[in-house]
Amino acid sequence: MTSIVEDALRVTMLKARLSMTAADSGDLDIAYRVIDSPVGPLLLAATESGLVRIAFACEGHDAVLEALGRRISPRILNAPERLDPAAEQLDAYFAGRRRSFDLPVDFSLSTEFRRRVQEQLPHIAYGRTATYKELAGLVGNPAAVRAVGTACATNPLPVVVPCHRVLRTDGGLGGYLGGLEAKTALLTLEGALDEEGRRA
């Protein structure tokens, strides 16, 4: 009779073997894993092109995986090792040891204008903020403030593509996919807000 620990180890090894076999045979289009973070569990998902989705728990990880299955491919597998670099860089970021990310990203979930906005976001430096209006100017469409807000709100790669650094023109936080508590936590971590939640 095997122990619970032995059974759990067998299941873990089987999952790892299935993941490697699927990847080697080309049967795996999206790998995912969930990591712990100071802003709650984060779902990380990647295609062959790079990190395609980061999702907060409030979005519903199962719902996000279903959406990825519809929009990209149903060939999805929990393959943690494929996301080790992303997990390690995020851990370092949350520990205050990393200020930017060096990861391939896949913007295939974003439309042309939204992608343009999202590609601009990493240029807002760690510890700095920009307004939706300023960001609209940077992408060459100063009148598109509302569309820029939508691009930030639908950013499929929060944290790594730092839409949390974009604020309302009046200095208010604006919305955030992970909730205002998460946005405040990220800006405080980066020193853009003080402990009272005011702009530093």
Side-chain angles (χ1 to χ4, degrees):
M1 190 165 156
T2 62
S3 72
I4 293 173
V5 174
E6 288 173 325
D7 287 343
L9 184 59
R10 276 198 196 90
V11 169
T12 301
M13 290 172 64
L14 178 60
K15 284 181 178 177
R17 206 163 44 242
L18 286 171
S19 168
M20 289 173 61
T21 302
D24 291 344
S25 65
D27 290 335
L28 175 60
D29 292 330
I30 302 171
Y32 77 91
R33 74 183 288 178
V34 177
I35 63 167
D36 290 324
S37 85
V39 291
L42 295 175
L43 171 76
L44 312 180
T47 64
E48 284 295 322
S49 300
L51 198 60
V52 73
R53 190 73 165 85
I54 297 175
F56 293 95
C58 62
E59 298 177 71
H61 291 167
D62 288 342
V64 170
L65 290 170
E66 285 175 23
L68 287 171
R70 287 192 306 272
R71 293 192 63 186
I72 297 177
S73 169
R75 299 192 305 181
I76 302 174
L77 191 63
N78 185 358
E81 66 288 340
R82 289 267 302 269
L83 287 138
D84 280 347
E88 288 163 10
Q89 289 191 29
L90 281 160
D91 283 346
Y93 166 81
F94 285 119
R97 299 189 312 271
R98 175 175 277 276
R99 293 182 163 220
S100 61
F101 295 92
D102 182 23
L103 296 166
V105 293
D106 178 348
F107 280 110
S108 62
L109 294 173
S110 300
T111 59
E112 188 176 322
F113 179 77
R114 290 180 184 179
R115 178 175 179 157
R116 221 164 66 234
V117 171
Q118 291 158 7
E119 287 174 338
Q120 189 66 40
L121 293 170
H123 297 290
I124 305 169
Y126 183 99
R128 304 283 185 182
T129 59
T131 65
Y132 295 111
K133 185 176 183 178
E134 289 167 341
L135 191 53
L138 288 173
V139 296
N141 195 342
V145 175
R146 191 166 287 182
V148 164
T150 301
C152 290
T154 57
N155 174 18
L157 294 164
V159 185
V160 168
V161 176
C163 55
H164 60 274
R165 296 178 188 157
V166 186
L167 307 177
R168 291 191 332 218
T169 304
D170 65 5
L173 289 182
Y176 191 60
L177 192 59
L180 291 185
E181 193 175 309
K183 187 170 187 173
T184 300
L186 294 171
L187 290 170
T188 303
L189 169 71
E190 295 182 3
L193 295 181
D194 64 20
E195 294 300 321
E196 271 71 55
R198 296 180 300 240
R199 290 177 84 172

